[in-house]
Amino acid sequence: RLALSVLLLVRSKEKGRARQMNEGARLAVQKYKADVLCFLHADTIIPQDSVELIRQTLYCKRAICGAFISIIDHLNDTQWGLTMHHYVKTFYLPFLFRPRAYWGGGRAFFGDQMMFCRASDFEAVNGFDETLTIMEDCDLCNRLFTYGSTKEQLAETKGEADGGKMVLVNRTIRTSGRRFERLGELRATYLHFKIALSWWFGMPRSEFNSMVQRIYQDVR
């Protein structure tokens, strides 16, 4: 069983998922000297050996960031359409828009996949972008991969092993799909696709955030 010696509730003075996660990460590092950070949705059920799996993944110096395979369900009913899209977009987004990064080990992870990384790498890229209302997780992946690739190049010149590989752990976690009930699987998948493409194609930030607020309303 996973034993937690510290469970701390952090209240953010301002809304915004990126800002809230940055505050939690900052406190974890400063107060508890955390060397690994994991970003988990409150409605996600994780394996009992999650900590060991994360440690094993990051033991490989080439691993810059990792995540799990997310199963989306609601009231014990698996939403297979959303689940499959969540899985394949890990690969097709970097394949389509950053092919060189994809072949170099780049992936696109999202919050409901239980992302994790070393605290030192998270700090090196300045954490989540607080100007984003969504896609802050994928944005972090891009910056971690770029940073890790630079580390790998420097390490290779020294004959060492260090790098920027993104690792999808071959284990599943379960995340609640209740927020998709109102939209339905097809519409939810369409909206996810629209948001992702708008971000990848560089929609102006103010316009992008306004679009997200219309879709998700004021819940972030």
Side-chain angles (χ1 to χ4, degrees), residues 19-55:
R19 181 176 291 105
Q20 293 159 6
M21 289 190 289
N22 280 342
E23 287 187 15
R26 191 178 303 114
L27 183 62
V29 172
Q30 293 177 354
K31 189 170 183 178
Y32 299 105
K33 310 302 180 185
D35 60 336
V36 172
L37 297 172
C38 175
F39 301 95
L40 173 69
H41 285 191
D43 58 1
T44 297
I45 300 174
I46 64 178
Q48 292 288 343
D49 58 347
S50 297
V51 172
E52 181 59 28
L53 290 170
I54 291 172
R55 291 289 185 189

Side-chain angles (χ1 to χ4, degrees), residues 18-178:
R19 181 176 291 105
Q20 293 159 6
M21 289 190 289
N22 280 342
E23 287 187 15
R26 191 178 303 114
L27 183 62
V29 172
Q30 293 177 354
K31 189 170 183 178
Y32 299 105
K33 310 302 180 185
D35 60 336
V36 172
L37 297 172
C38 175
F39 301 95
L40 173 69
H41 285 191
D43 58 1
T44 297
I45 300 174
I46 64 178
Q48 292 288 343
D49 58 347
S50 297
V51 172
E52 181 59 28
L53 290 170
I54 291 172
R55 291 289 185 189
Q56 289 176 3
T57 302
L58 294 181
Y59 181 78
C60 172
K61 288 187 176 182
R62 282 207 66 210
I64 192 74
C65 179
F68 291 75
I69 300 170
S70 179
I71 304 295
I72 310 297
D73 64 18
H74 181 57
L75 300 176
N76 295 320
D77 181 22
T78 300
Q79 298 171 314
W80 287 111
L82 286 169
T83 295
M84 290 304 299
H85 182 238
H86 273 56
Y87 177 77
V88 299
K89 72 182 180 182
T90 297
F91 304 95
Y92 79 67
L93 283 176
F95 179 77
L96 291 176
F97 301 110
R98 300 187 72 194
R100 290 184 61 185
Y102 173 81
W103 292 113
R107 298 293 182 265
F109 298 143
F110 294 84
D112 51 17
Q113 290 180 266
M114 189 179 169
M115 289 173 55
F116 57 88
C117 63
R118 297 179 186 86
S120 58
D121 294 330
F122 182 80
E123 290 183 322
V125 299
N126 297 316
F128 291 103
D129 183 348
E130 297 183 3
T131 67
L132 284 168
T133 54
I134 199 171
M135 296 298 290
E136 74 287 336
D137 32 27
C138 192
D139 172 75
L140 177 68
C141 285
N142 285 347
R143 287 183 289 113
L144 280 172
F145 178 77
T146 300
Y147 172 70
S149 299
T150 302
K151 285 177 61 179
E152 184 174 29
Q153 294 170 5
L154 292 174
E156 286 178 350
T157 62
K158 301 177 182 179
E160 301 172 353
D162 212 340
K165 184 179 179 182
M166 315 286 288
V167 180
L168 182 64
V169 180
N170 190 26
R171 288 287 294 277
T172 61
I173 57 178
R174 305 193 76 86
T175 296
S176 172
R178 70 188 186 283

